[in-house]
Amino acid sequence: MSSAVHRLLQKQIERATRDDGHIDLDLLTRLVSDAYAESDIERRRTDRSIALMVEELDQFNARLMQVVARRTDELEQLHRRLEATLQNVDQGIVMIDPDGRIAVFNEKFVEMTGLPRAVFEGNPAFQDVVQLMLEAGEFDAMGDSFKGWVVERAARPGPVSFQRIRPNGVVLQVQALPMPDGGEVRTLSDVTAHVRKSNELRATRDMLEMTLNNVTQGIMKVDAGGRVLFFNRRVVELLGFPEGLMQEGVTISELIRWQYESGEFEGYPPEIVEQARNGDPGPDLDTYTRRRPNGTIIQFNTIRLQDGSFVRTFTDVTEARAREEAIARVNEEYRSLFENSTVGIFRSTLDGKQLRANPALVRLNGYDSESEMLAAVNDIAGEWYVDPRRREEFTEIMEREGRTTDFVSEVYRHRTRERIWVSEASWLVRDHDGMPAYYEGMVIDATERMRTEAEIAHLALHDMLTRLPNRSLLLNTLSAALEDNRRGHEIAVLCLDLDHFKDVNDTMGHDCGDILLRMASRRLMRALPKRGMAARFGGDEFALIMPDVRDRESVMLLARQVVQTLSKPYRIRGSRVYVGVSIGIAIAPGDGLDAHDLLKKADIALYRAKRDGRGTYACFDEGMTAAILARREIEVELRRAIAHSEFELHYQPIMDLESGRPSAFEALIRWQHPQKGLLMPAHFIEIAEESGLILQIGELVLRQACEMMARLPSDVSVSVNLSPIQFRNHQLAVSVVNALAASGLSPHRLVLEITESVLMADDYRTVDILRQLRMLGVRIALDDFGVGHSSLSYLQKFPFNKIKIDKSFVQNNEDGTMNTAIRRAILSLGQDIGIDVIVEGVETETQRDMLIYEGCRYVQGYLFGRPRPESEILAEFGPARSPARTINRVA
Amino acid sequence: MYAREFNWSLSTGIRFATEREVRAPSLVLVFGTREILAHPEFIPALQRAFPGTPLAGCSTAGQFDRMRIEDDRVCGLAVWFESARVRLATSEITGGGNSLAAGQAIGAALAGSDLRAVMVLADGIRINGTRLVEGLSAALGPDILVAGGLAGDGQNFGETSIIADGPPRSGLVAAVGLYGAALDVSSGSAGGWDVFGPRRTITRAVDNILYDLDGMSALDLYERYLGEEEVQNLPASALCFPLRIEDPQRPGTDVVRTVLGIDRDRRAMIFAGDMPMRWTAQLMRGSFDRIVEGSAQAARNACSGPGSQEGFALLVSCIGRRLLMGQRAIDEVTAAAEEIARRHALVGFYSYGEISPHSASRTLQLHNQTMTVFSVRERQPIG
């Protein structure tokens, strides 16, 4: 300062120094004075500045004091709040100062150490507290290694976080944070509930994960950026992803591109394939379905979440789809059946309200549409059934059996009230609880059927040809009449048989026979008394019932009238035809009380009448012989035997003495009677002939014989006996042809044997038939030659192939000479006219030798073999070879 | 190169302190009071002495050389360059409004490939120095050193004048462009003021007119600090209490603002530069010793120390500093001169504003209350 003042004074002197070197003292004085003044100003300015600064400082200090006071208040308040907070928080809090001593703590902390409150008085070392806790067993639940660690950590502060379990099971989360000035703050939180919760959550998550991995659906979650957040195994399986492709973080686009490259979208529309190539997920559809290349159909469902992520599920709906389609197909089939069925189908409520009706049922009820019908039908019971009780019966059956089948009722065609018959097949449909819910069923129009059934019922009880009741109806009526006959009136039963009706049939044909039968029926009806009944039993057999017989004479009168009226000539196709009638009569109760019995007795009486001479009637009486009954019985049995094939053929060889081998076998009929054993023809042929059954028996014999012979060598033939009755039948030749054709037997291997009696009828037709047969190639033999009166004359009538000499010409020794002569004559005759002669009844070697001597070639008799069953013959003689089973056609 | 100081007064005419070169100098700078510059003998005398030499100068609040501060004589400087060239450019100021454009126009006129520095002298009353500086910066870029100051008018703050190859005129900006690769140019700027009192915030201001600090009248604050005695001397007395202002968002942009005038009716204070809203403002006060040290620092920053090279230095100090220091103002001049090489010619003046880059940020700024030193040397060609 002094140098500055000195320099100033120097400058002032310089300034005051005039050019002549003298100092202008006035100027100098003024300069010095000014300098002092300037210094004063400067000083004053400085003083003022300092004063103002002090003033400002004071103001500032005052403001500062206010701020400090306010801040102090705030801090105290804050401290109180912090203290309150500290004591009221759920956490234990302890602050440890840089020296390791506890500076601040709250009650919760004390509680969580398990130590008494007093331990914490006087800022104890934290390390000591931990040691006390250790000694008190606070860490016992944590194991020894934890104990060592926690004590060691207590001495060395630093950030740490751990969980420990208190002896009482409470789980504490302990967190230590270092303070900026050293020391640390520890917080202890009771996380028992949290740990339990997180354990539960983990368990739940594990369960969810397990569930997710075991559900049949694929599930994945994708974030808003298209990245997969999680997924289950099923996704990989369903979409066929390779190992490692599907993982968290993979994008949907990457998956789609892989699918594109693996051909997932082959055959899809080009725009979709293009999208897939670019990894474009396409439009955000919430649900869609597509078929994978392996044929599975996957349904994709997307649930969008608010944060832009979404959860997608994948469901294999292949089976479900197939099932749906099948159900739809079935439904369609059922619908088609329902719609197109010609059977009416319905569903109705239990109380009779119609719920559904198919077109067929709608039509049946006369309506055009289902709705129209449903609107109209309200009460099936009251409106439909002609007899309302049918509804009750219907519901009763339903309740009892749950279904009806062929429940036939007469109903009204609903709209027109026309009566029709219907058949219902219905069933009860139950609900889930098993309670009856409604009825379903089918309805068909049974009107036509009912008419047909009535007809059939009528037919079953009537003869179609004559419209008369048949045997059944007559029997029923008779039984009913007998049952009702409480007054004890007599009831007459008349059996009728037209005499010579077979001749009409045979000569004029069946159609004429039928006309005759109808005409006779009408005459019979006219003769019928009141309350009487006429019936036709078949063929020319008729029967009458005459109830309320007052006296026997009236029955006889009726019989006579019937004989008389039926015996009048019939005009058939321009011819007058005569038939008679025989009548057998039985009268209840005298002759019996059983309808069958009465009929049988009337039949016996008829038999008697016929035997007595036709064109008359006879009443049953007990005196009718047992023989008649037996014959009648045999006839009945014969019919059964035919039906049951009780006949069999035995075969007797006809020897060729030249070859010493059978040249033929004669077929002989036997009846294997179930009770009587084997019966010879003598027991039944006569009856068979009388009854006409010989025709059927004859056919049987022909057929069997031909079939048998076809199985024997072709150089052997068979002889079959024909009855004269068979020749009355125009069908004989046809029967022969049929037998040959069926067996394949060559005609020349069949020999038909007839007796002279056939020719005795002197019927030109018989010879015609024989000629037809010969023309077929069949050979004809004349049996029993020699026993008749004019045997030779028959040889002229027909060119027989063979003659059989009756056994009497061999065996009768009493008149030996005569027989021998005749025999030799016949043998000679045969040689002369070229006819084989067969001698029957050869029983001894003497006889044989004689015959050989006489030039006889063919012989038959016990010496060469008794008649034996087919099986034995086959066993001995055949089959050597199978004959060609050619069918011989007859031109 | 070399430069020589000279004086001019009506009685002595041009008088060089040492012998002078015969050939015409490259540049002549002159500084004096508005009245002496306006003397009808002055400019013709210069033109006769330095025919064809670019002539630049301005009115001042005192001019000085190494030894003394003059109020009566003109202080001048003549510069002879070896190779460097000089170009003088001017721009008219019609009001505060086109200061930016004036700066841009000067910059554009002087721009050249080997332009090294621009020395600016501008009207100190009518100009908005801040805008002028912005215009110069925008036109010249950061690489061209710009330095100079605003003309002064003693303690009157009435009218200032600028000389540019002719009689002094008001409302003018004159700038001398220095061209040449051999030129070394540098500048330094420092204040030495101490901040005191609380940091306040400019809460109401328009351009360079300040109304309120921290919501209170700035003029009231000043009157309190000046006291009744000095309030009478406003605005000059306010020069003792400049404001340091700073953008709080950009530390390091601090500048010192000095008061140019007051408007008692509107309770407003007019400063020598913009007073941006929301900037912080802090009162400053000076002590003689700190002010003197500030000047020395500015000189040290501009010159690398005493050396043997020829050159010249232009010193621009603030009127506020002279008013504060009174007779001891010479101390800051001599302190600065001692830091500048002896063989450098030196001329300076008290101004209404100093122009130079910020000492730290090197951003071109208008300063107040500083000593600004602009130093120019020309390297001798080798051989």
mmCIF file of all heavy atoms in Angstrom, chain B residues 23 28 49 71 76 82 167 188 200 207 250 267-268 274 293 325 354 359 362 375:
data_model
loop_
_atom_site.group_PDB
_atom_site.id
_atom_site.type_symbol
_atom_site.label_atom_id
_atom_site.label_comp_id
_atom_site.label_asym_id
_atom_site.label_seq_id
_atom_site.Cartn_x
_atom_site.Cartn_y
_atom_site.Cartn_z
ATOM 1 N N ARG B 23 8.494 6.464 -44.423
ATOM 2 C CA ARG B 23 7.392 6.003 -45.305
ATOM 3 C C ARG B 23 6.051 6.027 -44.573
ATOM 4 O O ARG B 23 6.012 6.037 -43.338
ATOM 5 C CB ARG B 23 7.682 4.581 -45.831
ATOM 6 C CG ARG B 23 7.725 3.520 -44.761
ATOM 7 C CD ARG B 23 8.045 2.141 -45.402
ATOM 8 N NE ARG B 23 8.343 1.163 -44.358
ATOM 9 C CZ ARG B 23 7.543 0.173 -44.042
ATOM 10 N NH1 ARG B 23 6.366 0.025 -44.653
ATOM 11 N NH2 ARG B 23 7.913 -0.680 -43.116
ATOM 12 N N VAL B 28 -3.193 3.884 -38.917
ATOM 13 C CA VAL B 28 -3.072 4.866 -37.834
ATOM 14 C C VAL B 28 -4.340 4.782 -36.985
ATOM 15 O O VAL B 28 -5.442 4.775 -37.510
ATOM 16 C CB VAL B 28 -2.883 6.286 -38.373
ATOM 17 C CG1 VAL B 28 -3.033 7.303 -37.230
ATOM 18 C CG2 VAL B 28 -1.504 6.435 -39.031
ATOM 19 N N ALA B 49 -0.122 14.390 -42.242
ATOM 20 C CA ALA B 49 1.018 13.628 -41.720
ATOM 21 C C ALA B 49 1.088 12.224 -42.287
ATOM 22 O O ALA B 49 2.164 11.687 -42.509
ATOM 23 C CB ALA B 49 0.933 13.559 -40.185
ATOM 24 N N ASP B 71 -6.646 13.397 -20.818
ATOM 25 C CA ASP B 71 -7.992 13.853 -21.120
ATOM 26 C C ASP B 71 -7.967 14.971 -22.150
ATOM 27 O O ASP B 71 -8.961 15.261 -22.792
ATOM 28 C CB ASP B 71 -8.690 14.367 -19.844
ATOM 29 C CG ASP B 71 -9.065 13.236 -18.914
ATOM 30 O OD1 ASP B 71 -9.665 12.232 -19.418
ATOM 31 O OD2 ASP B 71 -8.750 13.313 -17.722
ATOM 32 N N GLY B 76 -2.278 8.434 -30.053
ATOM 33 C CA GLY B 76 -2.369 7.742 -31.354
ATOM 34 C C GLY B 76 -1.280 6.710 -31.505
ATOM 35 O O GLY B 76 -0.357 6.625 -30.701
ATOM 36 N N GLU B 82 5.248 -5.339 -42.477
ATOM 37 C CA GLU B 82 6.140 -5.757 -43.546
ATOM 38 C C GLU B 82 5.327 -6.335 -44.679
ATOM 39 O O GLU B 82 5.486 -5.967 -45.843
ATOM 40 C CB GLU B 82 7.133 -6.823 -43.026
ATOM 41 C CG GLU B 82 8.090 -6.326 -41.952
ATOM 42 C CD GLU B 82 8.987 -5.199 -42.440
ATOM 43 O OE1 GLU B 82 9.375 -5.202 -43.619
ATOM 44 O OE2 GLU B 82 9.274 -4.271 -41.644
ATOM 45 N N PRO B 167 -13.609 12.734 -40.801
ATOM 46 C CA PRO B 167 -14.025 13.365 -39.559
ATOM 47 C C PRO B 167 -14.873 12.412 -38.720
ATOM 48 O O PRO B 167 -15.528 11.524 -39.278
ATOM 49 C CB PRO B 167 -14.873 14.551 -40.046
ATOM 50 C CG PRO B 167 -14.513 14.757 -41.466
ATOM 51 C CD PRO B 167 -14.101 13.435 -42.000
ATOM 52 N N GLY B 188 -6.636 -10.742 -24.404
ATOM 53 C CA GLY B 188 -6.887 -11.146 -23.032
ATOM 54 C C GLY B 188 -7.903 -10.208 -22.447
ATOM 55 O O GLY B 188 -8.007 -9.043 -22.853
ATOM 56 N N ARG B 200 -28.988 -13.159 -7.384
ATOM 57 C CA ARG B 200 -30.384 -12.830 -7.662
ATOM 58 C C ARG B 200 -30.746 -13.287 -9.060
ATOM 59 O O ARG B 200 -29.887 -13.644 -9.864
ATOM 60 C CB ARG B 200 -30.589 -11.311 -7.519
ATOM 61 C CG ARG B 200 -30.348 -10.812 -6.093
ATOM 62 C CD ARG B 200 -30.481 -9.287 -5.996
ATOM 63 N NE ARG B 200 -30.656 -8.820 -4.632
ATOM 64 C CZ ARG B 200 -29.656 -8.510 -3.786
ATOM 65 N NH1 ARG B 200 -28.395 -8.611 -4.187
ATOM 66 N NH2 ARG B 200 -29.914 -8.086 -2.554
ATOM 67 N N ASP B 207 -34.505 -6.728 -23.471
ATOM 68 C CA ASP B 207 -33.209 -6.473 -24.094
ATOM 69 C C ASP B 207 -32.195 -6.012 -23.022
ATOM 70 O O ASP B 207 -31.899 -6.753 -22.122
ATOM 71 C CB ASP B 207 -33.338 -5.449 -25.226
ATOM 72 C CG ASP B 207 -34.169 -6.011 -26.391
ATOM 73 O OD1 ASP B 207 -34.194 -7.282 -26.530
ATOM 74 O OD2 ASP B 207 -34.781 -5.233 -27.111
ATOM 75 N N ARG B 250 -25.989 -22.703 -18.379
ATOM 76 C CA ARG B 250 -24.711 -22.880 -19.059
ATOM 77 C C ARG B 250 -23.618 -22.166 -18.260
ATOM 78 O O ARG B 250 -23.232 -21.050 -18.612
ATOM 79 C CB ARG B 250 -24.772 -22.328 -20.481
ATOM 80 C CG ARG B 250 -25.744 -23.093 -21.405
ATOM 81 C CD ARG B 250 -25.552 -22.688 -22.846
ATOM 82 N NE ARG B 250 -25.800 -21.252 -23.051
ATOM 83 C CZ ARG B 250 -25.137 -20.493 -23.925
ATOM 84 N NH1 ARG B 250 -24.183 -21.020 -24.658
ATOM 85 N NH2 ARG B 250 -25.416 -19.212 -24.046
ATOM 86 N N ARG B 267 -38.515 3.414 -13.367
ATOM 87 C CA ARG B 267 -37.702 2.676 -12.407
ATOM 88 C C ARG B 267 -36.913 1.609 -13.131
ATOM 89 O O ARG B 267 -36.848 0.451 -12.725
ATOM 90 C CB ARG B 267 -38.569 2.008 -11.312
ATOM 91 C CG ARG B 267 -39.523 2.951 -10.587
ATOM 92 C CD ARG B 267 -38.812 4.079 -9.859
ATOM 93 N NE ARG B 267 -37.957 3.633 -8.782
ATOM 94 C CZ ARG B 267 -36.992 4.409 -8.224
ATOM 95 N NH1 ARG B 267 -36.771 5.627 -8.698
ATOM 96 N NH2 ARG B 267 -36.266 3.965 -7.205
ATOM 97 N N ALA B 268 -36.302 2.012 -14.267
ATOM 98 C CA ALA B 268 -35.563 1.061 -15.072
ATOM 99 C C ALA B 268 -34.097 1.456 -15.161
ATOM 100 O O ALA B 268 -33.748 2.608 -14.981
ATOM 101 C CB ALA B 268 -36.155 1.002 -16.480
ATOM 102 N N ASP B 274 -27.363 -6.933 -23.259
ATOM 103 C CA ASP B 274 -28.648 -7.562 -22.939
ATOM 104 C C ASP B 274 -28.652 -8.119 -21.518
ATOM 105 O O ASP B 274 -27.617 -8.558 -21.011
ATOM 106 C CB ASP B 274 -28.933 -8.712 -23.910
ATOM 107 C CG ASP B 274 -29.596 -8.180 -25.173
ATOM 108 O OD1 ASP B 274 -29.756 -6.937 -25.267
ATOM 109 O OD2 ASP B 274 -29.946 -9.017 -26.046
ATOM 110 N N GLU B 293 -4.814 -5.850 -10.369
ATOM 111 C CA GLU B 293 -4.368 -7.207 -10.663
ATOM 112 C C GLU B 293 -5.119 -7.776 -11.868
ATOM 113 O O GLU B 293 -4.562 -8.464 -12.723
ATOM 114 C CB GLU B 293 -4.587 -8.090 -9.421
ATOM 115 C CG GLU B 293 -4.356 -9.582 -9.632
ATOM 116 C CD GLU B 293 -2.997 -9.895 -10.255
ATOM 117 O OE1 GLU B 293 -2.059 -9.128 -10.081
ATOM 118 O OE2 GLU B 293 -2.908 -10.929 -10.963
ATOM 119 N N MET B 325 -11.598 4.095 -9.583
ATOM 120 C CA MET B 325 -10.246 4.262 -9.057
ATOM 121 C C MET B 325 -9.789 5.715 -8.963
ATOM 122 O O MET B 325 -8.816 6.040 -8.279
ATOM 123 C CB MET B 325 -9.271 3.449 -9.904
ATOM 124 C CG MET B 325 -9.525 1.964 -9.758
ATOM 125 S SD MET B 325 -8.359 0.979 -10.673
ATOM 126 C CE MET B 325 -6.928 1.122 -9.650
ATOM 127 N N GLU B 354 -16.303 -3.427 -23.857
ATOM 128 C CA GLU B 354 -15.127 -4.057 -24.421
ATOM 129 C C GLU B 354 -15.574 -5.296 -25.208
ATOM 130 O O GLU B 354 -16.489 -6.003 -24.807
ATOM 131 C CB GLU B 354 -14.141 -4.489 -23.328
ATOM 132 C CG GLU B 354 -13.775 -3.378 -22.352
ATOM 133 C CD GLU B 354 -14.809 -3.199 -21.259
ATOM 134 O OE1 GLU B 354 -15.094 -4.162 -20.528
ATOM 135 O OE2 GLU B 354 -15.407 -2.099 -21.182
ATOM 136 N N SER B 359 -12.559 -15.187 -21.719
ATOM 137 C CA SER B 359 -11.240 -15.731 -21.425
ATOM 138 C C SER B 359 -11.275 -17.248 -21.280
ATOM 139 O O SER B 359 -10.290 -17.914 -21.569
ATOM 140 C CB SER B 359 -10.681 -15.088 -20.158
ATOM 141 O OG SER B 359 -11.573 -15.329 -19.084
ATOM 142 N N ARG B 362 -13.800 -18.678 -24.850
ATOM 143 C CA ARG B 362 -13.345 -18.123 -26.126
ATOM 144 C C ARG B 362 -14.522 -17.712 -27.017
ATOM 145 O O ARG B 362 -14.351 -17.526 -28.216
ATOM 146 C CB ARG B 362 -12.425 -19.082 -26.905
ATOM 147 C CG ARG B 362 -11.188 -19.566 -26.153
ATOM 148 C CD ARG B 362 -10.357 -18.447 -25.585
ATOM 149 N NE ARG B 362 -9.745 -17.568 -26.572
ATOM 150 C CZ ARG B 362 -9.157 -16.388 -26.283
ATOM 151 N NH1 ARG B 362 -9.146 -15.962 -25.019
ATOM 152 N NH2 ARG B 362 -8.619 -15.632 -27.229
ATOM 153 N N SER B 375 -3.376 -7.821 -28.873
ATOM 154 C CA SER B 375 -1.951 -7.730 -29.203
ATOM 155 C C SER B 375 -1.704 -8.237 -30.607
ATOM 156 O O SER B 375 -2.254 -9.267 -30.997
ATOM 157 C CB SER B 375 -1.163 -8.567 -28.172
ATOM 158 O OG SER B 375 0.075 -8.925 -28.699
#
